[in-house]
Amino acid sequence: MSEVEGPGGQREGTGSLAHRVPDLAALELLLAVARLGSLGAAAREVGITQPAASSRVRSMERQLGVALVDRSPRGSRLTDAGVLVTDWARRVVEAAAAFDAGARALRDRRDSRLRVAASMTIAEYLLPGWLLALHAERPDTAVSLLAGNSARVAELLLSGEADLGFVEGLFVPAGLDAVVIGHDRLIVVTAPGHPWARRRRPLSPQELGETPLILRERGSGTRQVLDAALGGLARPLIELSSTTAVKASAVSGAGPSVLSELAVREELALRRLVAVPVEGVSLRRDLRAVWPKGHRPTGPARDLLSLTRA
């Protein structure tokens, strides 16, 4: 069976529906004309000028290849074809309204919760302030926080158990996109009674690498940065899975440690810990927000991300 050419020479049945079917704005205008009996009144209802409404109706008529509206000084009246098209238009607009309501429900469900995964230093020392600011903007969003090391954060994001993550390591975990939101520095600390607290010269990388330290576990951003700075694996005296536990052990005098400057500010100010200078190594690190590759944060996750960079 041969194809029939429609208006403008386009073959009927070819091309996408977007080219053959009037858009929602045009259909809503036609419904307003049918209800009000006036093109001018319909134009005012949909928020456009009467010339723009006339142009939109003519464009729709050319697209469909039939006359839809008879215009006269007494008003505008639908043609027989216009009555049929209006009936179809009503069904399309009602379906679009149902589509919009469904999409809005999905957005509301998405915006009702936020699951955040963060490595320990960020979770303990930065996220509380960010989450307070988010609550002020989105009081109806329930936030859950999962704290772990950087490797665990990546696992939670890739398995769909978290919407947004924060890590402190040297590299972006595989499968994730990231943006740098700040910077941090690791420092060597020890209790005031330790011999290092009275040193007059900085530690060398060799001394630091040969000394057993109270450390975070492998997989943490802190450990990753320290191992890279020393060109190999640091020697653990004790391995602990939280920054708070590492800090408490150092304060107790169990041995020296390497911790985030963010985590020990109070202890340094109160002289519960002493910072030990080190030369010849870089212990600076980037703090990153991360999310599954190709899935830029939306809704409350997007808002939290913007707060971290304010």
Side-chain angles (χ1 to χ4, degrees):
M1 185 170 67
S2 63
E3 295 174 320
V4 179
E5 288 192 356
Q10 181 178 338
R11 291 187 174 185
E12 294 182 356
T14 64
S16 70
L17 281 173
H19 293 102
R20 304 199 309 274
V21 176
D23 61 29
L24 283 174
L27 297 180
E28 287 178 325
L29 174 63
L30 184 63
L31 290 174
V33 172
R35 186 172 62 256
L36 300 173
S38 164
L39 190 60
R44 287 190 295 273
E45 180 172 280
V46 302
I48 61 175
T49 65
Q50 183 164 341
S54 296
S55 176
R56 189 171 292 179
V57 169
R58 287 194 298 271
S59 176
M60 187 165 31
E61 289 174 331
R62 286 194 301 272
Q63 187 176 26
L64 296 176
V66 294
L68 301 173
V69 179
D70 281 333
R71 304 160 186 83
S72 72
R74 295 187 301 277
S76 300
R77 183 181 64 83
L78 296 179
T79 64
D80 290 344
V83 171
L84 279 173
V85 171
T86 300
D87 186 46
W88 302 332
R90 185 173 293 107
R91 298 180 214 171
V92 172
V93 171
E94 288 172 353
F99 181 95
D100 179 59
R104 189 164 56 249
L106 286 176
R107 288 194 300 272
D108 290 343
R109 186 173 69 180
R110 177 204 66 190
D111 293 352
S112 68
R113 67 170 186 171
L114 173 62
R115 301 166 302 168
V116 180
S119 49
M120 298 303 297
T121 300
I122 294 177
E124 292 181 77
Y125 300 100
L126 293 175
L127 258 174
W130 298 338
L131 294 180
L132 281 174
L134 180 68
H135 179 72
E137 292 187 4
R138 287 181 171 270
D140 296 329
T141 297
V143 180
S144 60
L145 172 61
L146 301 168
N149 61 34
S150 296
R152 178 59 178 157
V153 170
E155 290 174 4
L156 291 168
L157 287 167
L158 293 173
S159 67
E161 297 175 69
D163 306 306
L164 183 66
F166 297 94
V167 296
E168 308 150 4
L170 290 174
F171 310 106
V172 178
L176 302 180
D177 285 332
V179 63
V180 174
I181 58 167
H183 306 282
D184 185 26
R185 185 170 67 98
L186 300 182
I187 58 176
V188 179
V189 294
T190 191
H194 192 276
W196 280 5
R198 298 182 293 276
R199 286 180 66 99
R200 293 178 176 268
R201 58 185 178 82
L203 289 168
S204 68
Q206 183 177 353
E207 287 177 290
L208 186 60
E210 291 176 350
T211 302
L213 304 169
I214 304 170
L215 297 173
R216 285 289 308 280
E217 79 287 4
R218 293 185 188 179
S220 68
T222 299
R223 185 69 175 273
Q224 185 186 99
V225 171
L226 179 60
D227 286 345
L230 296 178
L233 300 180
R235 293 184 60 191
L237 173 66
I238 311 171
E239 287 184 317
L240 299 168
S241 60
S242 82
T243 299
T244 300
V246 172
K247 184 167 58 174
S249 296
V251 168
S252 74
S257 182
V258 179
L259 284 165
S260 163
E261 190 172 28
L262 292 170
V264 294
R265 282 176 177 170
E266 181 179 348
E267 286 72 20
L268 293 175
L270 296 174
R271 293 289 297 173
R272 298 173 67 199
L273 289 174
V274 176
V276 183
V278 184
E279 62 181 4
V281 293
S282 174
L283 295 175
R284 183 179 180 275
R285 61 181 178 175
D286 293 330
L287 307 180
R288 294 182 175 89
V290 289
W291 56 88
K293 190 174 288 293
H295 297 276
R296 186 80 182 179
T298 59
R302 177 196 59 223
D303 292 349
L304 178 59
L305 178 58
S306 69
L307 288 170
T308 68
R309 307 174 73 187

